[in-house]
Amino acid sequence: MSVDALLDAARDACENAHVPYSDYPVGAALRTADGTVYVGCNVENANYSNSLHAEEVALGDAVKNGHDAFDALAVSSGARDGVTPCGMCRQTLVEFCDDDLPIYCDTGDGVERHELGVLLPDTITAANLD
């Protein structure tokens, strides 16, 4: 799946977001190493700390279906403002992804490309727990 198709999948997922509090829908499309794509959208809750983020919904679905290797992520918001994954989602992605995971962020008139390790340097990994 091309970057454009991955972004389209993130945009489509964004349409299903449940955002009655922030009115800020986000969609994510996560591509596995074998090319399967899992999508997620944010799901807000009145208790904000229980809200689910689009990236973690996509990752959870992929892991639930037996995947643990990923090669690209696309993220889009209703504002098409180049939103990147938050710190919590970055840390969760690091559990499964290498530092060079490309993250494509929708700017509306283009795409910004980031790498996970640049967005979250010196991350906490299993190696830090020893």
Side-chain angles (χ1 to χ4, degrees):
M1 176 177 275
S2 71
V3 171
D4 287 339
L6 201 60
L7 271 172
D8 286 342
R11 288 175 179 150
D12 288 346
C14 186
E15 297 298 320
N16 294 319
H18 175 76
V19 292
Y21 307 104
S22 72
D23 196 32
Y24 188 77
V26 176
L30 181 63
R31 188 175 63 206
T32 68
D34 73 4
T36 305
V37 174
Y38 289 88
V39 298
C41 60
N42 52 334
V43 181
E44 293 180 347
N45 185 293
N47 171 358
Y48 295 121
S49 65
N50 289 359
S51 294
L52 301 174
H53 297 192
E55 301 89 341
E56 68 182 341
V57 171
L59 180 63
D61 195 21
V63 170
K64 175 191 73 162
N65 284 288
H67 295 277
D68 63 2
F70 305 96
D71 68 10
L73 172 69
V75 183
S76 182
S77 74
R80 307 290 194 265
D81 57 0
V83 66
T84 64
C86 73
M88 180 180 72
C89 289
R90 293 173 191 189
Q91 181 63 54
T92 302
L93 288 164
V94 164
E95 186 71 18
F96 298 93
C97 305
D98 293 330
D99 283 348
D100 62 352
L101 175 79
I103 300 174
Y104 301 100
C105 302
D106 187 0
T107 64
D109 60 355
V111 61
E112 292 178 355
R113 183 187 185 279
H114 303 279
E115 288 188 356
L116 181 58
V118 173
L119 291 177
L120 188 66
D122 302 321
T123 187
I124 299 168
T125 65
N128 299 111
L129 302 177
D130 293 336

